[in-house]
Amino acid sequence: MTVSPAAAESLQTLIVGLALAGLLASAFELFTDRKASFRLLEAGGVSALAAVPMLAFTAPFIILRNTLRGRRLEHRPIPFVMIATMVACGWSLLSGRVAVDLAALVVGG
């Protein structure tokens, strides 16, 4: 079995996106003593505007965390968990692609 270079690059991008999401969400919790959440947008004004870039990259982690918690506590159906996981992985692919491209731009490669 061989893996095409495109598939390997997509897997790398997915992993980078998920790792970056977890890292940023954990750093946010460390520095603010609050969990990263989409509720940050409810504050309005400059605070909500400043939260948008952070939420754009932490969204896959937040979606997966909330989905697993909902499955465990609220017994949400498996198809819901599968769809939410696919959404989080798609979002992770996008944010991982941005992160990899920015890293390549900074390094110059």
Side-chain angles (χ1 to χ4, degrees), residues 19-45:
L20 181 64
L23 176 72
L24 290 175
S26 296
F28 180 82
E29 187 174 348
L30 175 69
F31 292 118
T32 64
D33 292 327
R34 298 180 359 196
K35 290 189 182 282
S37 171
F38 293 117
R39 291 185 186 252
L40 294 170
L41 297 174
E42 294 176 357

Side-chain angles (χ1 to χ4, degrees), residues 21-92:
L23 176 72
L24 290 175
S26 296
F28 180 82
E29 187 174 348
L30 175 69
F31 292 118
T32 64
D33 292 327
R34 298 180 359 196
K35 290 189 182 282
S37 171
F38 293 117
R39 291 185 186 252
L40 294 170
L41 297 174
E42 294 176 357
V46 177
S47 176
L49 189 61
V52 170
M54 193 267 308
L55 287 174
F57 286 97
T58 60
F61 177 82
I62 295 169
I63 292 168
L64 289 173
R65 181 190 66 206
N66 292 347
T67 300
L68 293 175
R69 188 171 185 270
R71 173 70 182 148
R72 188 177 56 230
L73 298 178
E74 300 171 6
H75 305 291
R76 291 183 182 160
I78 292 294
F80 175 82
V81 174
M82 289 171 41
I83 291 169
T85 301
M86 290 180 352
V87 168
C89 287
W91 198 322
S92 178

